[in-house]
Amino acid sequence: MAQVMLRKLVKNYDETPAVRGIDLDIADKEFVVLVGPSGCGKSTTLRMIAGLEDITAGDVLIGGEVVNDMPPKDRDIAMVFQNYALYPHMSVYENMSFGLRLKKVPKDEIARRVENAAQILDISELLQRKPKQLSGGQRQRVAMGRAIVRDPKVFLFDEPLSNLDAKLRVQMRTEIKKVHQKVRTTTVYVTHDQIEAMTLADRVVVMNGGNIEQVGTPNDLYHTPATKFVAGFIGSPAMNFVPCTIEEAAGALRVRLSKDLAFPIPQERTQRYRALVGQPSLLFGLRPEHITEQRPHLESNQHPFEVELEVTEPMGMETMVFFLIEGTELVGRVNPDAGAQAGKRMKLVADLGKMHLIDDASRRVL
Amino acid sequence: MSAAASAIETGALVKRGSLRRSRRWALVWSYVFLIMFAVFFLMPPVYMLIMGLKTSAETAAMTNPWWVYHPTLDNFIALLTSRTYLTFFRNSAVISLAVVVISMLIAVPAAFSLGRMKFWGSTTLAAGVFLTYLVPDSLLFIPLFKIMAWVHEHTGITLLNRWWALIIIYPTLTVPFCTWIMIGYFQSIPKELDEAALIDGAGYIQMLTKIFLPVALPGIIAATIFAFTVSWSEFLYPMAFTVSADQLVLPVGIVTTLINGDVYNWGQIMGACLLGAAPPLIIYAFLMDYYIAGLTAGATKG
């Protein structure tokens, strides 16, 4: 059990920077997820922690010790790979015990640990099978078992669920969370799937272009994104962004989205946004779940407006409605019984209490 | 084979459907060409057997060359009781086995380092290994001859006309190609496998012996078969480097000792060739199952 620290960590491939000097503290027993689009440097960062990539500059510390030049086997880590990387000629038992056998752990100790891990992962009946006799989900469990058996300081997961089909992915996600609750080992988990990140993590690290955009709990990222990237990346469907201006009228502020559409800004935000009056290149951000159908009783920050729907997508539990404001497409999530129909006009409600203002030049949320 | 046969049967039962019909024709043509191919390649050994079973008198008589009227095992008995033939056989066997061992001992670690451990110049070196294989042995035997003479001159060790010297020479033919095959095999193994092994605490030697050798077994067997076949059937080098009857290997021995001047002992020549062709066949038969079975199945998603 140990904390992991990254200090000004840089990785260049020849001249191409992959990771541009990131700082991150991961507490003991914490489950941290690195998330971002492909090429954002998340896997490279993980591989530097593992010792599979050389570090260009900066430090990686595990348990307070700089491990930059330490080979992977001495770092006391375990890693689960996207494509499982099981040894095909060994049985599940041999796969799981390989690391321990190399370390010359006594036989009965190995048996005890493997059986314990197999029990946690519910693969006790599979111990004598070869990897090719296992399904994708079972292989992934074995790969996790191989990690658990080692009882390492840190677990590293490199997109472990990407190869599984959608249903199994959700199931294994829960499984991983359960395992972490049983075996409280510091975990660094890489994924490009923001839902996986949100559901698993104690803290999520959103990466983009080799930099960390924001670190925070899943709720922090959802409710108070720091940048436009995070605002757009977290949440599905993605947050709506519309160019806007801020107007002042009779001491109150309004956000104007088009000639005909302006919403009053909640009282408690007036102070925060007053300096933005008349400023160009502002973006108004509102999540689809905060654009809903007309309701009989509106809260104080909810404001009705009417639009013509372009497309509707029934999802069963809700219906996505797409409409245009000044040429920008927006999405709302309405009750499936609200009678949304493409081509028809519909009364919607925007929850301004959940709005964000983004400076389009600096890409920061204001 | 049985799958293909049953496919033909179902094709015959179901007359409709152009897809089935075109598949059936494809199978028919496959069999036509495969049979032609088999006949073409089986003709020599069959002819060897026929000739081996004939007496000299029958061979000389102008009877049907594809039929034996008075079969006899005399030729084979003569060969297997002749000290010279057994010496050739022993020489060939010892040389071939030694060459296989030496080749694999060099080729496997070489291929592992060239194929898996990225280091400066590794790709150039790998290409260089293959280039050495492209130089034909008919160009190399003269410089090799010179080298052996030079060694004799400077150390007093005689390499010429010594059958065991071939053990040193054959690897120049087998090692480059075996290395090349093994590089390909090692490179086809997903890189996560060595990363997993690294994290599990394996060093490079353990990675090679515990992970790569078992996983690359089909490749190793392919290389072994190749090395054995090359050393078993090599003709030019032993022809050039060995002279005395007790130093000869099988291919050279047959043509030099069984032909006296212009007297061709056809029955024994053919019988000797047939017996000589047997060991590689037996080895193929034993190793083929391993060779075909892919052992990487299940390692990764694939």
Side-chain angles (χ1 to χ4, degrees):
Chain A
M1 304 276 172
Q3 73 274 38
V4 176
M5 287 187 269
L6 311 181
R7 291 279 170 271
K8 303 251 173 308
L9 194 61
V10 175
K11 174 70 189 182
N12 296 335
Y13 289 110
D14 297 323
E15 291 308 303
T16 323
V19 175
R20 301 166 189 257
I22 59 172
D23 284 288
L24 183 65
D25 282 9
I26 298 165
D28 188 19
K29 296 177 184 159
E30 195 177 19
F31 197 121
V32 165
V33 176
L34 307 182
V35 67
S38 21
C40 72
K42 56 190 192 299
S43 276
T44 310
T45 305
L46 189 80
R47 292 170 59 81
M48 282 193 282
I49 299 173
L52 297 172
E53 279 317 323
D54 291 332
I55 293 167
T56 308
D59 290 316
V60 172
L61 292 87
I62 297 176
E65 188 187 357
V66 178
V67 296
N68 288 14
D69 299 318
M70 198 184 270
K73 61 175 174 148
D74 299 329
R75 296 189 185 197
D76 200 6
I77 46 158
M79 187 155 167
V80 177
F81 294 87
Q82 176 176 355
N83 58 11
Y84 326 133
L86 301 178
Y87 311 123
H89 57 294
M90 295 186 194
S91 69
V92 168
Y93 186 94
E94 289 167 325
N95 260 285
M96 286 169 70
S97 60
F98 184 64
L100 298 178
R101 282 185 283 141
L102 288 179
K103 273 200 251 167
K104 308 248 184 288
V105 174
K107 273 220 170 72
D108 47 341
E109 167 79 3
I110 292 179
R112 198 183 55 73
R113 286 217 226 167
V114 171
E115 269 149 35
N116 183 34
Q119 210 157 31
I120 292 175
L121 291 162
D122 200 17
I123 49 172
S124 302
E125 302 82 48
L126 308 177
L127 287 176
Q128 298 315 319
R129 294 218 198 148
K130 288 276 172 66
K132 67 174 171 216
Q133 299 166 303
L134 303 176
S135 70
Q138 290 170 330
R139 285 181 203 175
Q140 195 51 270
R141 278 165 206 263
V142 175
M144 275 165 63
R146 192 165 62 180
I148 292 172
V149 160
R150 304 254 318 278
D151 190 21
K153 284 184 189 157
V154 186
F155 280 149
L156 305 173
F157 287 88
D158 191 4
E159 308 225 11
L161 305 183
S162 307
N163 273 346
L164 302 177
D165 61 58
K167 199 174 154 198
L168 200 53
R169 199 179 308 162
V170 174
Q171 199 184 327
M172 285 303 290
R173 199 170 72 198
T174 322
E175 203 72 22
I176 290 177
K177 197 156 189 171
K178 274 191 210 153
V179 167
H180 184 250
Q181 278 158 6
K182 283 183 207 161
V183 189
R184 297 205 66 87
T185 304
T186 314
T187 303
V188 187
Y189 186 107
V190 162
T191 179
H192 62 268
D193 180 351
Q194 53 99 9
I195 296 176
E196 231 170 272
M198 298 287 279
T199 48
L200 284 171
D202 293 329
R203 279 194 305 153
V204 179
V205 178
V206 182
M207 293 187 68
N208 184 30
N211 290 309
I212 291 180
E213 290 271 338
Q214 190 176 358
V215 182
T217 65
N219 279 333
D220 284 346
L221 296 185
Y222 182 80
H223 291 292
T224 53
T227 63
K228 184 188 175 196
F229 179 83
V230 176
F233 192 77
I234 302 292
S236 175
M239 188 186 281
N240 297 300
F241 296 112
V242 193
C244 70
T245 50
I246 305 292
E247 304 172 339
E248 185 161 13
L253 294 184
R254 282 194 305 183
V255 54
R256 179 161 290 283
L257 305 184
S258 75
K259 202 155 80 292
D260 313 314
L261 185 59
F263 293 117
I265 285 174
Q267 200 69 56
E268 62 272 19
R269 299 214 193 183
T270 329
Q271 206 58 32
R272 198 163 125 200
Y273 293 155
R274 190 173 294 282
L276 303 174
V277 174
Q279 185 177 315
S281 78
L282 282 180
L283 288 176
F284 170 78
L286 192 62
R287 295 192 184 279
E289 46 271 44
H290 302 135
I291 300 175
T292 52
E293 72 282 0
Q294 173 75 293
R295 286 166 187 172
H297 302 290
L298 293 182
E299 310 275 323
S300 63
N301 290 326
Q302 295 183 331
H303 294 278
F305 65 107
E306 195 176 305
V307 287
E308 189 181 313
L309 302 183
E310 294 274 306
V311 180
T312 60
E313 289 180 351
M315 313 280 284
M317 58 184 267
E318 65 203 5
T319 296
M320 301 289 163
V321 294
F322 294 78
F323 54 93
L324 294 176
I325 292 180
E326 291 285 286
T328 310
E329 191 175 65
L330 282 83
V331 193
R333 297 168 79 153
V334 305
N335 190 309
D337 301 328
Q341 247 187 313
K344 292 270 173 64
R345 292 188 74 77
M346 186 181 186
K347 280 212 162 96
L348 298 171
V349 171
D351 187 349
L352 275 293
K354 301 286 173 28
M355 68 168 279
H356 301 276
L357 272 183
I358 294 141
D359 179 1
D360 202 19
S362 72
R363 312 242 128 192
R364 302 212 65 83
V365 176
L366 301 165
Chain B
M1 191 58 183
S2 63
S6 69
I8 282 192
E9 276 167 31
T10 50
L13 286 174
V14 185
K15 291 263 158 76
R16 288 156 304 174
S18 62
L19 194 69
R20 280 222 169 79
R21 199 175 308 141
S22 72
R23 179 177 154 72
R24 198 171 149 212
W25 274 112
L27 279 173
V28 167
W29 282 112
S30 307
Y31 278 100
V32 167
F33 282 107
L34 283 171
I35 289 166
M36 280 167 60
F37 202 71
V39 167
F40 184 74
F41 279 94
L42 286 176
M43 200 120 67
V46 170
Y47 192 62
M48 279 190 234
L49 180 67
I50 291 167
M51 292 288 278
L53 292 172
K54 288 183 184 185
T55 58
S56 299
E58 191 178 341
T59 309
M62 296 291 280
T63 54
N64 180 359
W66 292 99
W67 195 251
V68 191
Y69 295 97
H70 307 287
T72 169
L73 287 174
D74 286 355
N75 291 321
F76 291 98
I77 291 164
L79 284 169
L80 294 175
T81 51
S82 133
R83 183 166 291 258
T84 38
Y85 185 73
L86 292 177
T87 309
F88 303 156
F89 213 98
R90 188 210 60 190
N91 288 352
S92 271
V94 173
I95 289 170
S96 297
L97 291 178
V99 167
V100 164
V101 171
I102 292 174
S103 304
M104 297 319 285
L105 283 180
I106 300 174
V108 168
F112 180 67
S113 55
L114 289 173
R116 298 305 291 205
M117 300 161 69
K118 291 256 156 56
F119 55 88
W120 188 83
S122 55
T123 40
T124 320
L125 272 173
V129 165
F130 188 62
L131 284 180
T132 59
Y133 176 69
L134 295 181
V135 182
D137 46 359
S138 49
L139 281 183
L140 284 177
F141 80 94
I142 298 170
L144 274 172
F145 206 94
K146 290 258 182 199
I147 291 171
M148 290 162 97
W150 184 90
V151 167
H152 179 69
E153 203 172 298
H154 288 83
T155 63
I157 300 169
T158 310
L159 295 171
L160 282 171
N161 197 20
R162 295 287 181 274
W163 65 269
W164 49 262
L166 297 174
I167 294 173
I168 312 169
I169 294 168
Y170 285 179
T172 60
L173 297 171
T174 55
V175 166
F177 191 72
C178 291
T179 310
W180 189 251
I181 296 179
M182 293 308 300
I183 288 176
Y185 253 89
F186 283 147
Q187 279 177 344
S188 73
I189 296 172
K191 78 171 174 15
E192 283 82 359
L193 224 52
D194 30 333
E195 292 180 344
L198 267 184
I199 287 177
D200 266 341
Y204 279 110
I205 300 291
Q206 285 166 318
M207 207 192 288
L208 175 62
T209 55
K210 298 212 156 106
I211 309 289
F212 277 73
L213 287 189
V215 172
L217 198 59
I220 290 172
I221 288 170
T224 306
I225 290 176
F226 171 82
F228 184 84
T229 313
V230 163
S231 15
W232 188 262
S233 60
E234 175 62 20
F235 187 78
L236 187 63
Y237 282 171
M239 187 74 180
F241 298 134
T242 52
V243 184
S244 317
D246 61 336
Q247 303 295 329
L248 295 180
V249 293
L250 210 50
V252 179
I254 292 169
V255 296
T256 51
T257 58
L258 295 178
I259 302 170
N260 289 324
D262 59 350
V263 180
Y264 288 73
N265 193 347
W266 280 120
Q268 283 197 23
I269 291 176
M270 290 298 161
C273 290
L274 198 65
L275 289 178
L281 271 178
I282 292 166
I283 287 181
Y284 278 124
F286 269 109
L287 297 183
M288 221 34 163
D289 285 347
Y290 291 98
Y291 180 50
I292 292 167
L295 283 179
T296 47
T300 58
K301 173 79 175 175

